[in-house]
Amino acid sequence: MSASQTSDVPTLLVKIFGKDRPGITAGLFDTLAAYSVDVVDIEQVVTRGRIVLCALVTRPVAGSEGDLRATVHSWADSLKLQAEILSGTGDNRPRGSGRSHVTVLGHPLTAESTAQIAARITATGGNIDRIFRLAKYPVTAVEFAVSGTETEPLRTALATSAAHIGVDVAVVSAGLHRRAQRLVVMDVDSTLIQDEVIELFAAHAGCEAEVAEVTERAMRGELDFEQSLHARVALLAGLDASVVDKVRAEVQLTPGARTLIRTLKRLGYQVGVVSGGFTQVTDDLRERLGLDFAAANTLEIVDGKLTGRVTGEIVDRAGKARLLRRFAAEADVPLSQTVAIGDGANDLDMLNAAGLGVAFNAKPVVREAAHTAVNVPFLDAVLYLLGITREEIEAADLA
């Protein structure tokens, strides 16, 4: 029955609530079936063993509504459930135009922060249609289905207040594209891994202080990325190439990194990394983690020694965005369906070019410019921003 067909049809809202047990849903509809009603809508929620089941059905033929009410109440009483039946006309009111998914991550998620998020949604003209928990650990993640307001103004309103509220918020438009094939590309240093690779090499060369000083100059704006890269790599000249294997062994993945990649791959996503670091490390990560794409700078090695130079195309801020576009083209994924993850200013062009840019434990300037931010130390929390539940993650592990 179409919306137009039910708009003026007398209907009953049957609400059942109480202790959950197997067979309640089947029992209710077996009871209603005796009155030849049509089902217009169903909603069921189970929370901590308590069920709320709502069935919107057409009103039965004249003279039998009283019998239906009595029968439903009797059936509910027999199962120690409560029943409420409300008369009305038609279906639910139509949802407003503009539909979005708002994902909220809290560690913990407090009542106060939830109230503030809901109030900001309302202030934009949005209506919360449904709320669904995606995960309870390692963070609490809930998803709001919102209608009545466009995605961009909703994203702006929530992004500007998320840090103040103390939660991470992602807003994406609803639609089939959310479950379409995607490409996820992430930075490496301080994102996929906990380390800065140049610092690991510097420790073996005994020039940590000098490398840190060049890094500080770059952060002050005295050097651009390419200048600072060449200056730092020059300090590694003469280092034995055997140190590459030592650095690879020292690299520590960010908590949740393996889960993130394994889950994405099992769900059919393609995954890549771009790095201002070095292919000597990213190529190893690509092999170990089963990545589809990897790009970085390459340390030049001659006669078993690092020369203090890099070869090939420089992967800088603009280069990362360029590589995101290249990977998307090779993966045959629209740029709007890409997700980029990074922590530094060097990642900003890539984050802004992607359909969804995620600032991961990033500096304030990056958090403010990205579409959303994740400020918990678990990289797999990004999965919840994609609407993937903890149960789906665990099911993927068993596949």
Side-chain angles (χ1 to χ4, degrees):
M1 190 177 293
S2 70
S4 60
Q5 291 174 308
T6 61
S7 59
D8 297 320
V9 172
T11 53
L12 297 176
L13 175 61
V14 181
K15 296 173 62 179
I16 303 296
F17 39 96
K19 185 177 180 181
D20 187 33
R21 71 196 72 183
I24 290 176
T25 305
L28 173 62
F29 286 97
D30 276 344
T31 302
L32 294 172
Y35 297 89
S36 301
V37 297
D38 295 333
V39 176
V40 179
D41 196 4
I42 308 172
E43 190 86 21
Q44 178 174 308
V45 177
V46 177
T47 303
R48 212 179 69 179
R50 309 293 291 185
I51 186 172
V52 178
L53 170 59
C54 296
L56 186 64
V57 299
T58 54
R59 190 176 296 176
V61 296
S64 62
E65 181 180 333
D67 288 343
L68 180 150
R69 288 174 176 270
T71 302
V72 169
H73 280 288
S74 176
W75 167 80
D77 287 343
S78 71
L79 296 177
K80 295 183 171 57
L81 298 170
Q82 293 178 278
E84 181 180 5
I85 304 175
L86 304 173
S87 298
T89 302
D91 198 348
N92 305 305
R93 64 180 177 83
R95 295 179 187 174
S97 61
R99 298 182 187 178
S100 305
H101 295 287
V102 177
T103 306
V104 180
L105 308 182
H107 190 56
L109 180 63
T110 66
E112 181 181 6
S113 60
T114 305
Q116 292 185 57
I117 289 293
R120 279 160 175 74
I121 291 172
T122 300
T124 66
N127 183 71
I128 300 171
D129 299 321
R130 289 184 176 86
I131 304 175
F132 177 74
R133 187 178 71 181
L134 296 169
K136 61 183 179 180
Y137 69 94
V139 297
T140 301
V142 295
E143 181 175 283
F144 296 74
V146 177
S147 63
T149 187
E150 296 302 321
T151 298
E152 284 306 320
L154 180 61
R155 175 184 287 165
T156 300
L158 292 176
T160 55
S161 54
H164 172 72
I165 295 173
V167 295
D168 298 331
V169 181
V171 182
V172 298
S173 60
L176 291 174
H177 67 274
R178 197 174 186 220
R179 288 293 185 178
Q181 184 187 45
R182 284 191 174 186
L183 168 68
V184 177
V185 176
M186 68 192 88
D187 174 44
V188 175
D189 292 11
S190 299
T191 299
L192 177 63
I193 67 174
Q194 301 178 60
D195 317 277
E196 293 289 329
V197 170
I198 185 68
E199 294 177 3
L200 297 179
F201 277 101
H204 289 281
C207 58
E208 295 164 279
E210 293 90 338
V211 164
E213 194 276 331
V214 174
T215 301
E216 183 62 29
R217 288 179 62 196
M219 292 179 65
R220 291 197 301 264
E222 297 172 12
L223 299 172
D224 64 21
F225 176 81
E226 186 170 349
Q227 289 172 320
S228 67
L229 174 67
H230 290 305
R232 287 179 291 180
V233 170
L235 295 169
L236 305 181
L239 196 61
D240 194 275
S242 62
V243 78
V244 169
D245 289 334
K246 297 176 182 178
V247 167
R248 288 173 174 172
E250 291 167 353
V251 164
Q252 300 179 76
L253 293 173
T254 297
R258 287 187 183 278
T259 300
L260 171 69
I261 295 169
R262 181 173 62 245
T263 303
L264 291 173
K265 295 291 293 178
R266 288 177 177 174
L267 294 177
Y269 289 62
Q270 297 187 64
V271 185
V273 294
V274 291
S275 175
F278 310 111
T279 57
Q280 282 82 0
V281 171
T282 58
D283 287 351
D284 181 63
L285 290 170
R286 178 176 184 170
E287 183 176 346
R288 284 166 51 194
L289 300 174
L291 301 173
D292 299 285
F293 305 98
N297 301 297
T298 298
L299 292 169
E300 184 181 63
I301 298 175
V302 176
D303 296 330
K305 302 287 184 182
L306 274 64
T307 66
R309 296 186 294 270
V310 292
T311 62
E313 179 183 7
I314 297 296
V315 179
D316 56 7
R317 176 169 168 168
K320 288 188 174 184
R322 185 169 59 250
L323 286 162
L324 171 70
R325 294 185 177 92
R326 182 189 303 172
F327 293 167
E330 292 177 13
D332 197 25
V333 172
L335 201 60
S336 61
Q337 291 298 103
T338 62
V339 179
I341 310 167
D343 73 297
N346 202 37
D347 300 310
L348 276 175
D349 289 3
M350 175 178 72
L351 297 182
N352 290 328
L356 178 65
V358 180
F360 180 72
N361 290 310
K363 301 169 181 63
V365 66
V366 181
R367 290 201 304 269
E368 292 168 6
H371 297 134
T372 188
V374 170
N375 294 301
V376 294
F378 314 109
L379 193 56
D380 54 340
V382 172
L383 292 168
Y384 308 135
L385 305 184
L386 306 179
I388 298 169
T389 67
R390 192 74 211 177
E391 288 80 7
E392 288 174 311
I393 295 170
E394 293 169 353
D397 282 341
L398 297 175

